[in-house]
Structure formats: structure tokens, C-alpha cells
Amino acid sequence: MKKSKGIILGLIVLFLISAILFFLKDYIFTSNDQPSSKESKFKMGDMEQNALGLAGFKANGEPLYDAQPIKLDENQTANFELALAHMLDTDETYGIILMQDYIQSEFTCGDKVTADICKQSIPPSTEVSIPLSIKINPDTRELIVLIVKEPDSIVKDMDLNQLFYYEQAYAKRYIIDGSVEKDDVVYIDPDSTYKSPGDTNAITFSGDKTERQLVSSMFSGEKGYLHMGTSIGNQEMDYAVVAFNDWKQTKINDDTIMHINTKPDVTYVYDVSLPLIKKEANLQFFAFPTPYTSDSSDSVFKVYQSTRTVVESYTN
């Protein structure tokens, strides 16, 4: 029996708007105004309570701006630093995932090589600088740094405060210097659509095909529904959509990456079979707007995400 709880669409939209405004108020994303000193990435004294600082830096300590192509060394390796700082009164754990053209890739985090996710614990009101290194494939266009909060936390109950807190993810995205533009993207047609005038929710994973009803847990092999819409008013949007099961990239049906183009006032629905698993794990979907392009003023966020869904095994 499906362990889910429906929420009326209007209430979801209202809650989502409130949550977005809350996070825009309480989190500061620092990209272009940070000092270049390797000893101090952020001015912690200038940060508001509950603020988060997030920035990229070259290996020599110079800022790595979002719209700036990232250069490789003679070994075709990208070497850079990810700086995280937060004015929180609790310890926080962040998970770092690197992708090449939206494919999860092996990388070095600090002095350790990881094939999937690097977890970094940050004490209260602390700044950390994490050296990252990744060998770039010859045909890679874009390097994506995905940051998730508390990756080990599992919330099976419909606790909205926890669900919306853990769903928040952040991304730094860089075009590889000298790479060739992608011209072979094929968009995947939806299984169904419905009219949604004025709705700017980019992505929702739901237990319902015609309404964006949140679902906190489902069983392995069950069917869910991925709802995709425009994120900016009356403009169509392109997305690269990926999924992670226990923070390892998993296919969405038969696709490692779903390239989706959405039109205004219409929600595109994709039927999704949940992965077969042996133990419960988080499943989360991520939609990256305008993929394979440099920083765009048309997009407020570098990544949109669904609420985490716990996939349970029937044998548990």
C-alpha cells in the first residue's frame, strides 16, 4: 500500500511560494563580490543569521565566476575550490556531487577520491574551503557542482518543515574553456499534459497524475509522476533532468538524462517507475534550466529540485 498523503494543489502552490520567499530571505549566495584571499573567502561578520555563503575559487585563490569558463591544466583536469560558509547555530552536513554534462563523475574531494558523493560537516558559524579536482572527458561541455543538505537524513512522514528544508539544493555550473556547444539535444515528449495557467513550479514528483500532490514515501517499483513546468512567467524553458537514488545517479525509466522543453501554462507529466531497491533510500529529482550554457540572467536558480521521496523495499 502506498505510503503517501495528498495535499490540495492550491495549498501546495501557496506553501511553495512562501517557502521560496523564506529561503530567498534567509540564504545569501555569494558569487561575484567575494574577496580573492585564500585565507578568507567570506566576510563572516557581514553575514546575516541563517545566511549561507557559496562560492567557487580557482586553485590560486582567484574568484571563479559563474559566467567564466573554467580552464583545465595540462592533464585535462579542473582544479578549484568550493567555499561554504554559514551563520547557523547547529552543525550542518553538505553533500557534494560533481557531474560532467549531467552525468555523475568520479572526483577528488580534499584528499579523497569519491565515485559519488563527498560529505562535509561544518560547525556553527564556520567557513570551509574544499579543494575539488576532476578529470574532464574530451567532449564535456559543462561541469556541474551539486550541493545537497543533510544527505543522510530520511523523512518518511509528511513533515512539511523537514521535507522543504532537506529538499533545498544548490549548484555551481561552469562551461569548460574551449568546449563545443551542444547541438544534438533531443527532447522527450510527455506521457500527458494538463493546463496550468500561471503556475511556475519547475518540477514536482507526485503520487498523482493530474495534480501536484506531494508524496513523502513510496514502495520500490511503484509508479510516480514527474510534473514539469516553466519557471519564468510566460517563457518556455529547457531543462536537463536527472535523478539520484541514495545519491547515486539512477535512470529515469530508460533515460540517464531527460532533456525537457516546457511551454507556458502547460504542465508536462512523465510516468516514472521507481527503482527496485533492497533497502530504503532517498530518491530526488533535479532540473537544471538552460543546460550547456553559461550564466543566464533569464534563470534565477541554477537548479530546481523535487521534494525528497523515501523509496521503501517491500521486504523491509
Side-chain angles (χ1 to χ4, degrees):
M1 181 177 177
K2 184 186 299 183
K3 295 183 64 179
S4 63
K5 185 176 181 180
I7 297 179
I8 299 174
L9 177 61
L11 293 178
I12 291 178
V13 173
L14 183 62
F15 192 95
L16 284 172
I17 293 173
S18 300
I20 290 171
L21 291 175
F22 174 83
F23 282 105
L24 283 177
K25 174 177 72 70
D26 284 350
Y27 284 87
I28 297 173
F29 299 86
T30 306
S31 293
N32 296 332
D33 298 325
Q34 66 271 43
S36 61
S37 166
K38 294 192 70 171
E39 287 73 30
S40 179
K41 307 296 186 187
F42 301 91
K43 296 179 180 178
M44 294 288 289
D46 294 338
M47 294 178 64
E48 297 180 4
Q49 188 66 29
N50 295 328
L52 170 68
L54 172 64
F57 287 84
K58 301 176 185 178
N60 63 6
E62 295 178 358
L64 181 59
Y65 301 130
D66 293 346
Q68 181 181 25
I70 189 168
K71 295 182 181 295
L72 309 181
D73 66 14
E74 62 275 10
N75 297 315
Q76 296 299 297
T77 299
N79 300 292
F80 60 104
E81 293 182 356
L82 178 68
L84 292 170
H86 64 173
M87 291 296 292
L88 301 175
D89 57 7
T90 58
D91 290 351
E92 294 289 321
T93 298
Y94 295 90
I96 302 168
I97 295 170
L98 264 58
M99 289 180 280
Q100 298 188 56
D101 287 348
Y102 303 98
I103 301 294
Q104 188 174 26
S105 302
E106 180 180 275
F107 65 102
T108 300
C109 180
D111 58 357
K112 295 181 179 180
V113 176
T114 177
D116 40 57
I117 188 169
C118 172
K119 298 172 185 178
Q120 177 71 50
S121 179
I122 305 180
S125 301
T126 301
E127 170 192 335
V128 297
S129 184
I130 308 161
L132 301 174
S133 178
I134 181 170
K135 179 82 170 181
I136 300 297
N137 300 325
D139 58 349
T140 295
R141 169 69 174 170
E142 185 178 356
L143 173 64
I144 303 97
V145 184
L146 178 65
I147 302 103
V148 298
K149 295 194 298 187
E150 301 296 340
D152 294 328
S153 295
I154 290 182
V155 182
K156 289 193 288 187
D157 298 326
M158 187 57 70
D159 185 324
L160 290 180
N161 288 332
Q162 285 190 312
L163 285 175
F164 280 113
Y165 178 77
Y166 291 134
E167 83 166 306
Q168 295 298 316
Y170 317 98
K172 305 294 287 184
R173 295 168 51 185
Y174 304 105
I175 297 299
I176 302 300
D177 188 45
S179 61
V180 178
E181 292 188 11
K182 295 281 185 181
D183 58 3
D184 58 350
V185 171
V186 177
Y187 298 112
I188 299 176
D189 293 330
D191 294 300
S192 60
T193 63
Y194 61 86
K195 294 291 185 180
S196 53
D199 185 5
T200 56
N201 288 303
I203 182 170
T204 304
F205 184 66
S206 174
D208 190 276
K209 191 170 187 174
T210 58
E211 292 186 357
R212 293 176 180 244
Q213 294 179 348
L214 299 183
V215 59
S216 58
S217 66
M218 298 179 70
F219 280 110
S220 171
E222 281 192 300
K223 180 180 287 187
Y225 302 94
L226 189 64
H227 297 240
M228 298 294 305
T230 58
S231 56
I232 305 174
N234 60 354
Q235 299 181 33
E236 66 180 75
M237 285 293 296
D238 293 344
Y239 300 100
V241 181
V242 298
F244 291 91
N245 177 45
D246 197 22
W247 307 115
K248 296 175 179 62
Q249 191 167 5
T250 186
K251 287 187 175 182
I252 306 173
N253 296 332
D254 296 325
D255 299 295
T256 303
I257 308 168
M258 293 181 68
H259 290 289
I260 296 174
N261 174 265
T262 61
K263 300 295 191 293
D265 300 330
V266 178
T267 293
Y268 293 59
V269 181
Y270 297 85
D271 301 356
V272 177
S273 296
L274 272 66
L276 299 175
I277 62 168
K278 294 183 178 180
K279 65 176 183 178
E280 66 182 21
N282 283 316
L283 175 69
Q284 193 163 12
F285 298 85
F286 298 89
F288 297 85
T290 59
Y292 316 112
T293 61
S294 60
D295 189 37
S296 171
S297 59
D298 292 335
S299 178
V300 177
F301 298 103
K302 300 296 176 63
V303 61
Y304 298 89
Q305 60 279 324
S306 68
T307 302
R308 287 185 197 173
T309 300
V310 178
V311 180
E312 299 184 76
S313 170
Y314 279 108
T315 60
N316 283 351

